Amino acid sequence: MSSNIKILLIYTGGTIGMQKDFETGALKAFNFSKLLQRVPELKLLDCAIETISFENPIDSSNISPESWVAIAEVIEQNYADFDGFVVLHGSDTMSYSASALSFMLENLGKPVIFTGSQLPIGDLRTDAKENLITAIQIASLQENGKPLVSEVGLYFEYKLYRGNRTTKISAEHFNAFTSPNYPFLIESGVHLKVNSDLLLPLPQNKVLKIHKSFDNNVMIIKMFPGINQKILETLMAVPGLKGVVLETFGSGNAPTENWFVQLLKNAIEAGIHIVNVTQCSGGSVDMGKYETSSQLKQIGVISGKDCTTEAAITKLMFLLGQPISNENFKNQFEKSIRGEMG
């Protein structure tokens, strides 16, 4: 069996990399250098697998922009030597990290597949083995000597999704993720079903460019009936605040009360970028469809269209880290740069 295709497995932390001490029941970190011993099925894959583990694995609740840069730098340093990358990551913030990496990796010409598990790799009923094996298999898929997938994906429970289109929906089920506004890219059954027309095109003759600058002077505000004027005024007056993702009702609707609209208008005039996304689990913002969103459109609120909150907040941090003028920011945000919005 030939092993011309080389895959790098990057373990950042998370349940998938834990194993149970059967005497104490405690979870401890798994030694990924012994991966082939623990998961012998990997030998059946037609690729060579190497592993890199973070020296101090990160619980995904502690993931930060610095962690995203660390992952991107591992990919950057090994990009020329490998055909694909599989990032093992805790599931709680995996959609944020997959979204962030998609924006960071411009002209990506190889697969970067995030995966993890709900149960540790050594558990009897674990989902870790299937997720790991198929993620590596997808990362090694080639057509005419070129990678089939050339974007950041997230593989979980038989489906590969575009990473920046995903959101975690369950803390208990193996089917932990969904992509509410974009179909799956690949489905794993008896065979792999590939929706080729949904994949991002392979960049032609372009060099990978990695952006490492994020600005996290941002916040997410979820609208709810009875939202308090004084509290909202206090939040918007936080020194250094540069951007807000506003989770609104339905197709982008928010209160029409004068104080609320004026507060947003003042914030926008002060240079704070406000992005409108829906708090519904699926669907798109359509500002102007109803009277309750037409005012937002008039004062310059940015439409997040059908972006997930995870993609919106990471894109906001990413674009704020780029040299973009305030006047041009809205146009830049409302353009899809990595297939994150329709």
Side-chain angles (χ1 to χ4, degrees):
M1 185 179 285
S2 67
S3 290
N4 296 331
I5 295 171
K6 292 176 69 181
I7 302 299
L8 183 63
L9 197 64
I10 304 165
Y11 176 61
T12 67
T15 301
I16 194 167
M18 308 304 283
Q19 60 181 351
K20 196 173 275 185
D21 183 314
F22 291 108
E23 289 185 10
T24 65
L27 290 175
K28 58 182 182 180
F30 176 78
N31 182 352
F32 273 88
S33 63
K34 296 181 179 174
L35 185 66
L36 286 175
Q37 289 172 276
R38 197 59 190 261
V39 191
E41 297 94 329
L42 290 172
K43 291 175 186 170
L44 298 172
L45 294 174
D46 192 11
C47 60
I49 303 161
E50 291 184 30
T51 60
I52 288 180
S53 292
F54 276 24
E55 197 171 331
N56 299 304
I58 309 166
D59 184 290
S60 75
S61 300
N62 292 323
I63 286 286
S64 65
E66 290 74 27
S67 316
W68 300 333
V69 170
I71 298 168
E73 286 179 342
V74 171
I75 293 168
E76 182 179 33
Q77 288 153 16
N78 294 278
Y79 193 72
D81 300 325
F82 290 88
D83 299 288
F85 303 86
V86 172
V87 181
L88 303 181
H89 191 291
S91 62
D92 284 352
T93 56
M94 195 187 295
S95 291
Y96 291 93
S97 293
S99 297
L101 263 288
S102 77
F103 300 129
M104 296 173 81
L105 304 174
E106 186 179 349
N107 302 327
L108 179 64
K110 298 178 182 183
V112 174
I113 310 298
F114 277 77
T115 194
S117 66
Q118 297 283 65
L119 289 173
I121 206 161
D123 268 31
L124 185 63
R125 294 178 52 254
T126 187
D127 54 331
K129 281 191 178 183
E130 196 285 320
N131 286 349
L132 176 63
I133 291 165
T134 310
I136 293 171
Q137 187 178 12
I138 287 169
S140 66
L141 289 176
Q142 294 209 346
E143 200 170 60
N144 303 321
K146 293 180 178 177
L148 191 67
V149 177
S150 57
E151 59 180 283
V152 177
L154 187 156
Y155 181 81
F156 227 88
E157 183 71 0
Y158 308 122
K159 287 187 173 72
L160 176 75
Y161 303 108
R162 177 164 298 153
N164 58 33
R165 289 289 197 150
T166 61
T167 191
K168 188 175 182 185
I169 52 166
S170 177
E172 294 194 353
H173 297 130
F174 288 147
N175 183 17
F177 289 86
T178 190
S179 172
N181 293 319
Y182 200 77
F184 61 82
L185 306 177
I186 298 177
E187 185 173 32
S188 169
V190 175
H191 303 287
L192 290 178
K193 178 188 173 186
V194 181
N195 290 325
S196 304
D197 56 325
L198 298 175
L199 293 165
L200 288 178
L202 192 67
Q204 298 300 316
N205 307 317
K206 289 184 178 176
V207 179
L208 177 71
K209 187 176 179 184
I210 299 189
H211 303 273
K212 300 178 186 177
S213 184
F214 283 87
D215 190 327
N216 64 351
N217 288 292
V218 296
M219 63 179 168
I220 298 168
I221 298 175
K222 184 167 186 165
M223 299 303 302
F224 58 90
I227 193 163
N228 184 293
Q229 179 177 352
K230 283 186 179 174
I231 290 173
L232 204 53
E233 283 171 350
T234 304
L235 289 173
M236 288 294 190
V238 169
L241 180 67
K242 294 180 185 173
V244 175
V245 170
L246 200 63
E247 285 194 354
T248 57
F249 308 119
S251 56
N253 303 312
T256 52
E257 292 175 71
N258 284 340
W259 71 263
F260 179 78
V261 177
Q262 194 60 46
L263 178 61
L264 296 191
K265 188 171 185 278
N266 292 345
I268 291 166
E269 286 172 355
I272 296 170
H273 304 290
I274 299 177
V275 180
N276 186 358
V277 298
T278 176
Q279 58 184 254
C280 297
S281 55
S284 178
V285 160
D286 183 5
M287 288 195 294
K289 184 177 179 183
Y290 297 100
E291 186 190 347
T292 46
S293 65
S294 58
Q295 287 174 297
L296 302 185
K297 188 176 183 179
Q298 286 164 15
I299 62 172
V301 170
I302 297 165
S303 174
K305 301 181 182 177
D306 62 352
C307 246
T308 61
T309 296
E310 293 92 334
I313 195 69
T314 51
K315 186 176 183 179
L316 188 56
M317 285 192 270
F318 167 73
L319 289 179
L320 284 169
Q322 309 307 307
I324 299 168
S325 69
N326 265 7
E327 297 73 36
N328 198 26
F329 195 91
K330 185 174 187 290
N331 285 338
Q332 287 294 313
F333 195 101
E334 291 181 349
K335 280 181 197 160
S336 178
I337 54 174
R338 306 283 189 268
E340 73 283 355
M341 57 167 61

